[in-house]
Amino acid sequence: MKRPTAGAKWRAPGAALCCAALLSGCGLLTAGEPDGGAAPAPSGTRPAAGKPAEPGQPVHLKDLNGDGYDDFAGPLTSREHGTSLVVVYGSKAGLHPGWHTTLPGGGPDSGYGSPLRADLDGDGFPDLVALRQRGKKAETVALHGGRRGVSQPRRLSVPDAFRPTAAGDFDGDGHADLTGGRTIQFGPFKDGRPARTGRVSGDHGAAQGGVTGDFDGDGHTDALFTYPYDADDYEQNDDPPDGPPQTAYFRGGPQGLTRDSAEAIGSAMGGYEGPGGATAGDVDGDGIDDLVVSPGPGDLEPGKLTLFYGSKSGPGGGRSPEVLQGRGSTWGSGTEIGDVNGDRKADLLTGRPGFHLIDPDKLILLPASAKGGFDVAAGQTVSGDDKELPDGVEAFTFGAQALLDADGDGRQDVVAFTQRHDKKDGRFLVFPGGPDGLDVGRVRHFGSEELGVRLGRP
């Protein structure tokens, strides 16, 4: 397979986590199983054996079994059957639905949360970390990567109240750590137990979401957290109390995460109904991760993204931020950074949710610009009613799930998910990356039932 060689201009954030769901196409997870019930056993078949990362070399977090092909991992939600966690392994031909691992949700209002990726035990294979709800009790579990794929879920020895929100090497000791925004579970993890536990500095609640990267280039993972917020809760009288912050930025260091100022980022992400989203990657090729953020719902200026360049003093401390303005109030919903066309420069994947049958959802790919950012004018749009989509695929409502080099050709492919309006069926669409962007004419697709997951009633 071909990956970017040393010195390649684009790189993924060194310690960034991979989120499975990015745009509005698949219901995002709640998790759980009936009280006292045992965890359902994984089902499916596995690919040929891979190999771990060489000692001293970074672990490629998207390749769970070390065979050179990126693998998909994410949730599938059904009101009747709960939220299953599915893993589909890559191959020379791309994602191979015949090679998959499926952990059943276990029933209504049950299942698994969106997984993080990190090499918890230092064996050279990335692991999946997810929240699982068992009745009224939530627990954090790990599916350890290995030569033949992921293991069965194993409970981690962390507090019951811990919610895995972000992963990275926050203290710079070479081991992966986990955080929920209040505490840090420091690695390495041995037999599911962290080496030690520390607190995140500052007075704040548990995080709702997080994105990580080395935004100041010091070798420690930094984190940007988002928190639940609704302005209606703080504007019910003439003298309302100050609302909590919607976002907070933390620098990594020897002691873990320390709160730092990032008012411009918070302003760009704020919304009346809560914060927007963010993604990380080295956009300009200077070896320091950069941030792309979107405004939250209810913002007065929707339809835009803001790029904050990383620097020795943190995001936004060097080059001036750039605003990417699109068309439509929903433009810029969900983002991920990767090299789709193989030019070793960062491209940006985003979306524009529509209004179903009268205005299908759209995926938008912005290529790299000559100045190191993204070229909005040269963007490629794939619509849910595109005539090149395969016959029988009802894609009026669909959204991106991941950017993966599933076929090992050195270009990132877009994995999207679409579901019928009656919620009875769902299909994964894999758009291969090509020299000109997304190759819609070569899209491959497979159904959720091929992974053992029935989304609706028969």
Side-chain angles (χ1 to χ4, degrees), residues 271-315:
Y272 190 86
E273 300 173 16
T279 192
D282 184 7
V283 173
D284 56 1
D286 65 352
I288 301 176
D289 290 327
D290 310 304
L291 270 172
V292 176
V293 306
S294 61
D299 184 77
L300 296 178
E301 298 181 31
K304 67 179 181 181
L305 298 168
T306 305
L307 168 59
F308 290 90
Y309 291 98
S311 70
K312 295 295 184 182
S313 56

Side-chain angles (χ1 to χ4, degrees), residues 10 53 56 90 94 137 143 152 163 187 223 259-260 289 346 357 370 391 407 409 414 439:
W10 174 80
K137 182 180 179 181
L143 286 71
Q152 294 193 29
R163 300 291 183 267
R259 180 76 177 268
D260 197 6
D289 290 327
L357 296 180
D391 292 338
D407 56 7
D409 67 351
V414 174
D439 191 342

Side-chain angles (χ1 to χ4, degrees), residues 49-360:
K51 60 182 181 180
E54 295 292 334
Q57 296 299 310
V59 176
H60 184 64
L61 295 181
K62 294 186 178 183
D63 183 3
L64 296 169
N65 64 327
D67 64 352
Y69 304 103
D70 290 351
D71 310 308
F72 174 81
L76 280 179
T77 299
S78 165
R79 290 183 180 179
E80 183 177 1
H81 306 291
T83 302
S84 300
L85 180 61
V86 298
V87 177
V88 185
Y89 298 96
S91 71
K92 188 175 182 179
L95 290 184
H96 193 314
W99 295 345
H100 69 270
T101 299
T102 297
L103 282 80
D109 301 318
S110 65
Y112 292 83
S114 248
L116 308 178
R117 301 194 188 206
D119 183 11
L120 295 182
D121 49 11
D123 65 352
F125 291 101
D127 310 311
L128 299 177
V129 180
L131 186 70
R132 179 176 66 185
Q133 194 88 20
R134 308 189 68 175
K136 296 181 180 180
K137 182 180 179 181
E139 59 185 6
T140 300
V141 298
L143 286 71
H144 292 282
R147 296 179 185 274
R148 297 298 305 277
V150 297
S151 70
Q152 294 193 29
R154 300 169 182 171
R155 182 179 179 181
L156 296 181
S157 297
V158 297
D160 290 342
F162 181 79
R163 300 291 183 267
T165 304
D169 184 8
F170 303 116
D171 59 356
D173 66 351
H175 301 292
D177 314 312
L178 298 174
T179 182
R182 281 180 169 170
T183 64
I184 303 176
Q185 310 298 318
F186 289 100
F189 286 71
K190 295 183 178 180
D191 298 322
R193 189 178 300 276
R196 61 188 177 93
T197 298
R199 291 195 62 82
V200 176
S201 71
D203 183 16
H204 47 78
Q208 173 179 271
V211 62
T212 59
D214 186 2
F215 303 115
D216 55 12
D218 67 351
H220 301 85
T221 303
D222 312 308
L224 175 68
F225 293 128
T226 58
Y227 303 93
Y229 180 89
D230 189 333
D232 286 341
D233 296 336
Y234 304 97
E235 297 184 2
Q236 300 301 317
N237 54 61
D238 294 333
D239 187 23
D242 292 334
Q246 297 189 37
T247 63
Y249 175 70
F250 295 82
R251 283 180 181 264
Q255 303 305 314
L257 292 172
T258 302
R259 180 76 177 268
D260 197 6
S261 176
E263 293 182 4
I265 294 175
S267 178
M269 294 182 68
Y272 190 86
E273 300 173 16
T279 192
D282 184 7
V283 173
D284 56 1
D286 65 352
I288 301 176
D289 290 327
D290 310 304
L291 270 172
V292 176
V293 306
S294 61
D299 184 77
L300 296 178
E301 298 181 31
K304 67 179 181 181
L305 298 168
T306 305
L307 168 59
F308 290 90
Y309 291 98
S311 70
K312 295 295 184 182
S313 56
R319 295 175 61 179
S320 298
E322 294 181 12
V323 175
L324 310 175
Q325 186 68 55
R327 293 184 178 181
S329 61
T330 61
W331 186 93
S333 297
T335 54
E336 189 164 355
I337 295 170
D339 180 9
V340 174
N341 58 13
D343 65 355
R344 304 201 304 183
K345 297 179 182 179
D347 307 311
L348 180 68
L349 177 69
T350 187
R352 192 195 72 96
F355 299 95
H356 303 298
L357 296 180
I358 64 172
D359 181 23

Side-chain angles (χ1 to χ4, degrees), residues 425-450:
D425 185 31
R427 303 198 71 77
F428 287 93
L429 306 177
V430 183
F431 296 88
D436 299 319
L438 300 179
D439 191 342
V440 182
R442 293 196 301 123
V443 65
R444 300 176 68 246
H445 62 100
F446 54 91
S448 57
E449 292 195 0
E450 296 179 57

